[in-house]
Amino acid sequence: MPSPDRKISESTVRRLSAYLRSLEALEASGAEMASSGELARRAGTTAPQVRKDLSTFGSFGKRGLGYPVVPLIGSLEAILGLTREWRVALLGAGRVGAALHTYPFFRERGFRIVAIFDNDPEKVGLRWDDTTIRHIDELESVLAGEAVEIAILTVPAAPAPALADRVVRAGVGAILNFAPARLELPPHVVVNEVNLAMELELLSFALTRSEPR
Amino acid sequence: MPSPDRKISESTVRRLSAYLRSLEALEASGAEMASSGELARRAGTTAPQVRKDLSTFGSFGKRGLGYPVVPLIGSLEAILGLTREWRVALLGAGRVGAALHTYPFFRERGFRIVAIFDNDPEKVGLRWDDTTIRHIDELESVLAGEAVEIAILTVPAAPAPALADRVVRAGVGAILNFAPARLELPPHVVVNEVNLAMELELLSFALTRSEPR
């Protein structure tokens, strides 16, 4: 792998993730080799882009034969940091939190939810599988005790920035933010937003412009 | 507004959506004017970018004074297609579907869920608020009867592509896809993906590379 100071764009990582998904589908269908064209078609990009993206990280293909499916899955898992377990905290035990908690991908990929927080007294103390929902007042002690590395925020917009600050001060290095609030955090913290409002507005914008006027 | 053939990039629309959110927060705090610098800071971009994005759609600012908050909210709502109701169908009445169904943003912004589908006999016939869950076999007739314009897919990966094809053949023009499957649809269909696996992999990739090795 290149040195960590070599900048890889977010869109490159998104494509690597799509290649991994495509390779897994190919593996499930029994394929042993995948061409760059096939990966490109499944990931919605071009064959030269596939070859360029993968060559950034090593020599995985065989000229004229394509990429061996199983080894490339292993390489992409290593590149994407999926060969180890990540300790995850869920802040917010509402419906979005519940949906994420049962999302099978988490476990399959090694994202293990080790702590769940809420401020609703009716939720605190409940167990989701083998994790007890803790009060948000216990955030710092639980995050440290459980060695949490990634926090997922599924809280309302108003409390989100202050909770993100607390999470970062407690040593968490990455946040997946579902709250419709912008977080201003130190540059070493990795923040990724999932904004459902924005996703829907992209659709309504496109539909509005495509209609006859 | 420019003619519909003028191409506006997805990243521009995402910024417009962020400006709208920032303006609403400013309105809630009682502000009457917003500078491009303030909008830039809240949306995580630069003041020249804010001015450039907004000038694509009209002259909204007053030199030296900034942008009037309430009128610009109205303009952005019109640009993003939020001044009308959109008729939405939810395919998949699982946990993600349930979380989306109760998401207050939908109603506030005029996205009205008028149809819900599942193939689980225990769910078909149940009511979520005033919408009855219908069997997926009834997809075509219900989509046409309810004049659905946007479909949200919260089904597993395997059935997603075939369901998307059926939805498009039934005349739906936009799909928000939560299924971890790539949809290959005609170019006139607007498709937007929310891939939670990819979002988490962006975090694990960044954390892996930022660690000392």
Side-chain angles (χ1 to χ4, degrees):
Chain A
M1 282 178 60
S3 66
D5 48 314
R6 169 81 176 281
K7 188 87 181 153
I8 307 289
S9 75
E10 180 180 316
S11 51
T12 303
V13 185
R14 287 188 186 273
R15 285 193 302 272
L16 296 178
S17 178
Y19 303 153
L20 175 57
R21 216 89 50 227
S22 305
L23 286 161
E24 287 170 338
L26 287 166
E27 185 192 18
S29 71
E32 287 182 17
M33 301 295 286
S35 68
S36 52
E38 196 161 16
L39 288 176
R41 188 184 57 77
R42 287 173 177 261
T45 182
T46 64
Q49 184 72 62
V50 170
R51 292 192 292 268
K52 178 168 178 284
D53 287 338
L54 294 175
S55 69
T56 308
F57 296 94
S59 295
F60 304 112
K62 293 172 184 169
R63 186 170 292 274
L65 292 172
Y67 298 96
V69 170
V70 172
L72 186 53
I73 287 175
S75 300
L76 284 174
E77 284 177 342
I79 291 165
L80 291 169
L82 302 174
T83 51
R84 49 156 290 186
E85 184 181 276
W86 295 100
R87 297 178 69 79
V88 178
L90 194 56
L91 276 70
R95 279 181 190 261
V96 175
L100 291 173
H101 185 257
T102 56
Y103 187 44
F105 168 86
F106 273 80
R107 265 158 258 215
E108 290 162 15
R109 286 285 199 248
F111 296 95
R112 189 168 151 220
I113 296 181
V114 294
I116 307 169
F117 300 93
D118 208 290
N119 64 355
D120 178 348
E122 299 204 352
K123 285 181 183 156
V124 173
L126 295 180
R127 290 174 75 86
W128 282 5
D129 294 345
D130 50 1
T131 310
T132 302
I133 300 175
R134 313 289 287 271
H135 195 279
I136 203 82
D137 287 350
E138 294 181 77
L139 187 67
E140 284 77 7
S141 60
V142 176
L143 291 179
E146 293 287 352
V148 167
E149 299 161 294
I150 297 175
I152 303 180
L153 262 62
T154 63
V155 297
L163 284 173
D165 287 341
R166 286 174 64 187
V167 156
V168 167
R169 279 198 304 270
V172 172
I175 294 178
L176 182 57
N177 179 30
F178 284 82
R182 189 175 159 74
L183 308 180
E184 295 187 36
L185 296 169
H188 73 272
V189 182
V190 190
V191 181
N192 208 348
E193 279 182 36
V194 180
N195 189 326
L196 297 178
M198 201 173 271
E199 302 304 330
L200 276 164
E201 286 168 9
L202 280 165
L203 296 184
S204 59
F205 174 83
L207 284 176
T208 302
R209 289 174 65 84
S210 66
E211 278 174 3
R213 55 194 70 209
Chain B
M1 283 179 65
S3 67
D5 49 314
R6 168 81 175 281
K7 187 90 179 151
I8 307 290
S9 75
E10 180 179 316
S11 52
T12 303
V13 185
R14 287 188 185 273
R15 285 194 302 273
L16 295 177
S17 178
Y19 303 153
L20 175 57
R21 217 89 49 226
S22 305
L23 286 161
E24 287 170 338
L26 286 166
E27 185 191 18
S29 72
E32 288 183 15
M33 300 295 284
S35 68
S36 52
E38 196 162 15
L39 288 176
R41 187 183 57 77
R42 288 173 177 260
T45 183
T46 64
Q49 183 72 62
V50 170
R51 292 191 293 269
K52 178 168 177 284
D53 286 338
L54 294 176
S55 69
T56 307
F57 296 94
S59 295
F60 304 112
K62 293 172 184 171
R63 189 169 289 275
L65 292 172
Y67 297 97
V69 170
V70 172
L72 185 53
I73 287 176
S75 300
L76 284 174
E77 285 176 342
I79 291 165
L80 291 169
L82 302 174
T83 51
R84 48 157 289 184
E85 183 181 276
W86 294 100
R87 298 178 69 81
V88 179
L90 193 57
L91 276 70
R95 280 180 188 262
V96 175
L100 292 173
H101 185 256
T102 57
Y103 188 43
F105 169 86
F106 272 79
R107 265 157 259 214
E108 290 162 15
R109 286 286 199 246
F111 296 95
R112 190 169 150 220
I113 296 181
V114 295
I116 307 170
F117 301 93
D118 208 290
N119 64 355
D120 178 350
E122 298 205 351
K123 285 181 182 157
V124 173
L126 295 181
R127 288 175 77 86
W128 282 5
D129 294 347
D130 50 2
T131 309
T132 302
I133 300 175
R134 314 288 286 270
H135 195 278
I136 204 79
D137 288 349
E138 295 181 77
L139 187 68
E140 285 76 6
S141 60
V142 176
L143 290 180
E146 292 288 351
V148 167
E149 299 161 294
I150 297 174
I152 302 181
L153 261 62
T154 64
V155 297
L163 284 173
D165 287 341
R166 285 174 63 187
V167 156
V168 167
R169 278 199 302 271
V172 171
I175 294 178
L176 183 56
N177 179 29
F178 284 81
R182 191 174 157 75
L183 308 179
E184 296 187 38
L185 296 169
H188 73 273
V189 181
V190 189
V191 180
N192 208 349
E193 280 182 34
V194 180
N195 188 326
L196 297 178
M198 201 173 271
E199 302 303 330
L200 276 164
E201 287 168 8
L202 280 165
L203 296 184
S204 60
F205 173 83
L207 285 175
T208 301
R209 290 174 64 86
S210 67
E211 277 174 4
R213 58 192 68 207

